[in-house]
Amino acid sequence: MTDGAVRTSRPVTPTTILGKELRELVEALDAGDVGEEFARRLRRARDLADGLDPYLDRHTTRESSALAELSRRTLGLDWDSRTVVSGSGPLEQEMLSGHVEGQALKFLVHMTRARRVLEIGMFTGYSALAMADALPDGGEVVACEVDRFVADFARECFAQSPAGSRISVEVGPALETLHRLSGRFDLVFIDADKTGYLDYYRHLMDSDLLAPGAIVAVDNTLLQGTPYADPAYRTANGDAVEAFNTFVTEDPRVEQVLLPLRDGVTLIRRVEA
């Protein structure tokens, strides 16, 4: 290496190693070099990708029996027969926050010592119940959900858990609910229609709903890679998430970190003047 030369960082994380493998495999494919070594490396790339989420799941504290039952019931429904009343698209079982993200949200509640939590977009209630599990006595989760079917489904599940009594469900368009809520929240979790993210964020920042030091967590901020993928694969939701990510990044009122947890979770806090 010559003096002054900058050394390229070696990939050391599962995703950067996977990226390097795939780049080199594409180069080999273009060159027609697809022999036994190509096949070995292709299998390694597959194993890196397929093995990550199951490994995270195995090494994360097990979910409670109530959360496991809520997940089981959610996955057992025929979602193809359900529709929503908003523009957020069809309901599907993949909307479930799931074990690892649920545990991360519980950690946030513990770390922030939150007593009052707001959830914008509840679905069948996995994340709401996970956060309620971590609340102290007297704590409350206010969960906003536009679809009455999943709201009623969640209430049935909450009734079977001791923590379920800490959750109140507000049914209706989330922005309308936000306008009539009062009091302040220590933690907010946004996981609703992606085209509404900016409106929810702006309202939170411009209202009195955020307590001093409050954290806003926003789900799906990687949205299956569509915000940064080849334009040929972009979607309306991907464009909306990219617009949201850019707005938050350029907002001088906050600092944020985008974590590659599940489909991307951004943590946001207001910077004190």
Side-chain angles (χ1 to χ4, degrees):
M1 182 184 297
T2 59
D3 291 343
V6 177
R7 179 180 178 272
T8 302
S9 297
R10 177 174 63 89
V12 293
T13 66
T15 53
T16 57
I17 293 170
L18 177 61
K20 178 177 183 292
E21 283 289 282
L22 291 175
R23 285 194 305 274
E24 294 180 358
L25 286 169
V26 169
E27 292 171 1
L29 178 65
D30 290 342
D33 184 10
V34 291
E36 185 175 327
E37 176 65 9
F38 179 92
R40 184 191 67 80
R41 294 183 65 183
L42 185 60
R43 285 191 290 270
R44 184 193 184 212
R46 176 204 61 195
D47 293 343
L48 277 170
D50 281 351
L52 179 59
D53 281 355
Y55 189 82
L56 297 177
D57 187 77
R58 287 198 304 274
H59 294 282
T60 295
T61 299
R62 292 180 63 179
E63 62 194 351
S64 67
S65 59
L67 285 170
E69 176 62 14
L70 190 155
S71 179
R72 185 195 67 77
R73 291 187 61 187
T74 299
L75 298 178
L77 281 176
D78 177 14
W79 291 104
D80 291 339
S81 66
R82 301 298 312 170
T83 57
V84 294
V85 297
S86 73
S88 60
L91 293 168
E92 54 185 0
Q93 65 184 37
E94 285 77 16
M95 291 178 173
L96 192 78
S97 295
H99 171 213
V100 175
E101 188 169 3
Q103 187 65 21
L105 291 170
K106 287 180 66 173
F107 255 77
L108 276 178
V109 174
H110 285 302
M111 291 169 65
T112 60
R113 298 182 179 178
R115 296 190 61 85
R116 200 157 186 250
V117 176
L118 172 64
E119 180 173 57
I120 303 173
M122 179 185 66
F123 189 45
T124 58
Y126 190 99
S127 50
L129 187 56
M131 292 186 288
D133 274 343
L135 285 174
D137 291 340
E140 177 190 27
V141 175
V142 177
C144 307
E145 175 53 50
V146 71
D147 187 74
R148 185 165 294 280
F149 171 80
V150 289
D152 290 341
F153 178 96
R155 287 186 178 116
E156 292 177 5
C157 294
F158 297 159
Q160 300 175 22
S161 168
S165 61
R166 299 170 182 161
I167 306 168
S168 60
V169 181
E170 299 286 342
V171 180
L175 200 57
E176 294 180 10
T177 302
L178 293 182
H179 278 284
R180 58 182 173 78
L181 286 178
S182 60
R184 291 186 165 186
F185 294 90
D186 307 300
L187 175 64
V188 180
F189 181 49
I190 303 176
D191 185 15
D193 57 302
K194 311 315 165 193
T195 55
Y197 271 20
L198 262 178
D199 288 335
Y200 305 141
Y201 174 81
R202 287 189 177 113
H203 184 79
L204 290 170
M205 294 299 297
D206 296 336
S207 69
D208 293 325
L209 289 175
L210 295 180
I215 298 295
V216 179
V218 187
D219 200 14
N220 302 117
T221 46
L222 290 177
L223 200 70
Q224 301 168 16
T226 54
Y228 61 86
D230 185 312
Y233 298 96
R234 291 290 287 271
T235 64
N237 280 342
D239 289 340
V241 169
E242 167 59 14
F244 171 81
N245 289 341
T246 299
F247 186 90
V248 173
T249 300
E250 296 175 353
D251 188 348
R253 299 172 294 179
V254 301
E255 63 180 13
Q256 75 288 333
V257 57
L258 201 170
L259 303 172
L261 169 63
R262 198 168 180 257
D263 196 26
V265 174
T266 297
L267 303 181
I268 305 167
R269 64 178 291 272
R270 191 191 297 272
V271 179
E272 301 298 332

